[in-house]
Every structure is written in C-alpha cells, then in structure tokens.
Amino acid sequence: TRVDGYEAPRCWLKREAAEALARVERDLRARHQRLRVYDCYRPARAVAHFMRWVQDTADVRTKATHYPDFDKPQLLAEVADNMRRELGDNIRTRLKQQVFDRFLEANPVDVPNALVEQQVRDMQIDTARRMGAKDASQIPPAEPFVEPARRRVALGMLVNELVKARNITLDRARVDARLADLAATYPDPDAILNAYRQNPDAMRGVEGMVLEDQVVDYLLERAAVTDQPSTFKELMNFGA
C-alpha cells in the first residue's frame, strides 16, 4: 500500500542541511561516488496514514513480518513512548542551542586556529566513518566544517572556564538517568547500559552532554526567560 506523502524519491530538508549535503555530493561525484540519504522529514500526512493504519486492528497483514511480538495497541503505546522521548530530546536540544547561542554572543572569544583546524579534522574523520569511508580519499572536504568547528571550540573554551570558575561538578545521578534514557530505545536496555559503561569514550561523551546540561541550567537560572507556546508539529519540524 502506498503511504500518503511518500509519492516520489524526494527529500525535504532545511536549506542549511540541503546545501551542506549538496557540497558533499559534488565532492563525491568527482570521485565517481554518490551520496545516499535514507531518511528526511516525514510529511504530516504520512504520519496521519500510519496512525490510521495502527488504529485499524483488523488489518494484520504485515504483523508476521514487521511486528510479530506486538499487537497494534502495544505498538501504538510503544510509538507514543518513543514520540514523547523524541519530543523531550528535541526540546532539550533546542533549549541548549538557544542558551549557548546567547552565551557566545555575550562572550566573544578569539579561538586559536590550531584548535579549529584540529576540530575540523576530527569532524571530517567522524563524518567519513559514519559514511562508511574505506580510505582517506573518501574523507569529505573541510569547508563545511569550519564554522561549526569554530563555534564548538569557542563554546568549549567558555564552558570549561565557567565550570572551573563556578565549581560546577558532574552530577552522577543525571549521568545514570541519561544512560537509562539512551538504553530505553533498544530491545535489550541492560546490554546497552553495560556496553556504555565498559566503553570509556562513550562514557565521556555522555558525561560531557550531562555537564553541558548542568551549565545550561546554571545559565537559565540567571537569565531572563520568555516562554513560547509551540505545537508538537512545530517542535518536531514535521512537514505539511
């Protein structure tokens, strides 16, 4: 059955993301390679189609293949839990970006070019790894990463200075809660928790996210905040 909104092999993205992907695609074409995008914004009418399907409990044609361990009411509850989790993550990400944007604007800082260049290289390598690059010739060009790298370095310097100056210490209870949230999205949460705890790099990543959240909380307590009502669709950037 054709899903409403899935009518052509087209991908809806924010302009910034589309332009960045176009630059990567141009570089890959010069190497006789192509960029393949698997997921983009899901049209709202496609979500509505899925909801009609999940509420039709008599239609079980694909149960054996796609959801053998669930009935549709259980599947709907699982989807609702995931949507609530995604909404919370989206709100946290937006709030963090807004706070850090203002933090940077209020505290301009000169960043060493060497640190920016190192950050660009790290981002290039990480992106190449995620793309499944096989050798150095497949590493994406540096240009799209320069400004994000500059921002990341400047923000890291400011956050580190604030943490030291205000003696902000890592909240271990929040680390455990974040790990539990991350693991809850997998079929075997305990295995994921163990995998994180046995991987020092992964743990440092989680601890860094939590410490950033604590810095955001510190800044918000001292900022003038204006609440802005938003719908679920607006927060999740659903297409029309």
Side-chain angles (χ1 to χ4, degrees):
T1 301
R2 181 186 293 273
V3 175
D4 294 345
Y6 286 6
E7 293 149 8
R10 298 289 184 270
C11 188
W12 289 94
L13 294 165
K14 287 187 175 180
R15 178 178 294 277
E16 296 88 343
E19 290 175 346
L21 289 175
R23 288 193 292 269
V24 174
E25 171 74 3
R26 285 195 296 271
D27 185 71
L28 290 174
R29 280 177 178 268
R31 307 174 192 177
H32 307 289
Q33 297 171 324
R34 297 293 299 275
L35 183 67
R36 178 174 294 179
V37 180
Y38 283 96
D39 200 11
C40 304
Y41 287 128
R42 180 173 294 124
R45 57 188 181 276
V47 176
H49 189 133
F50 294 147
M51 292 304 297
R52 291 194 301 273
W53 170 83
V54 81
Q55 290 166 358
D56 182 4
T57 56
D59 181 359
V60 293
R61 289 172 293 175
T62 59
K63 176 177 172 59
T65 302
H66 296 295
Y67 57 105
D69 300 325
F70 294 95
D71 290 326
K72 279 193 175 180
Q74 294 171 291
L75 186 62
L76 184 59
E78 183 79 10
V79 169
D81 284 344
N82 287 337
M83 291 178 73
R84 280 191 290 269
R85 190 176 298 111
E86 289 180 16
L87 177 62
D89 289 343
N90 199 302
I91 291 172
R92 181 165 51 226
T93 299
R94 283 178 174 230
L95 180 61
K96 180 182 291 188
Q97 179 170 341
Q98 290 171 356
V99 170
F100 282 158
D101 283 347
R102 301 300 175 269
F103 190 34
L104 284 167
E105 288 173 8
N107 300 276
V109 58
D110 292 328
V111 296
N113 286 332
L115 292 181
V116 175
E117 290 169 1
Q118 180 60 55
Q119 185 65 60
V120 168
R121 286 193 292 272
D122 290 345
M123 294 170 76
Q124 286 178 282
I125 292 170
D126 183 62
T127 301
R129 179 182 59 81
R130 293 172 184 272
M131 291 169 56
K134 299 292 190 297
D135 55 59
S137 68
Q138 297 175 316
I139 293 177
E143 189 270 334
F145 299 102
V146 173
E147 287 310 311
R150 190 179 305 280
R151 182 183 188 279
R152 186 176 294 184
V153 171
L155 189 56
M157 293 170 63
L158 290 174
V159 167
N160 289 338
E161 186 61 31
L162 182 63
V163 167
K164 289 189 292 185
R166 298 295 182 263
N167 195 29
I168 300 173
T169 58
L170 183 65
D171 186 334
R172 284 290 165 189
R174 290 179 68 163
V175 173
D176 290 340
R178 178 59 68 88
L179 284 171
D181 284 344
L182 292 169
T185 62
Y186 292 88
D188 188 349
D190 289 339
I192 299 301
L193 285 173
N194 289 334
Y196 266 99
R197 289 184 173 129
Q198 292 170 15
N199 186 325
D201 288 339
M203 283 302 300
R204 278 192 290 271
V206 175
E207 290 166 354
M209 288 190 294
V210 170
L211 192 58
E212 284 186 353
D213 287 344
Q214 291 179 239
V215 169
V216 169
D217 290 345
Y218 177 90
L219 294 171
L220 283 174
E221 289 170 0
R222 291 154 179 81
V225 178
T226 302
D227 291 335
Q228 179 179 341
S230 296
T231 65
F232 182 87
K233 177 180 176 179
E234 290 168 342
L235 286 169
M236 300 303 291
N237 289 315
F238 281 155

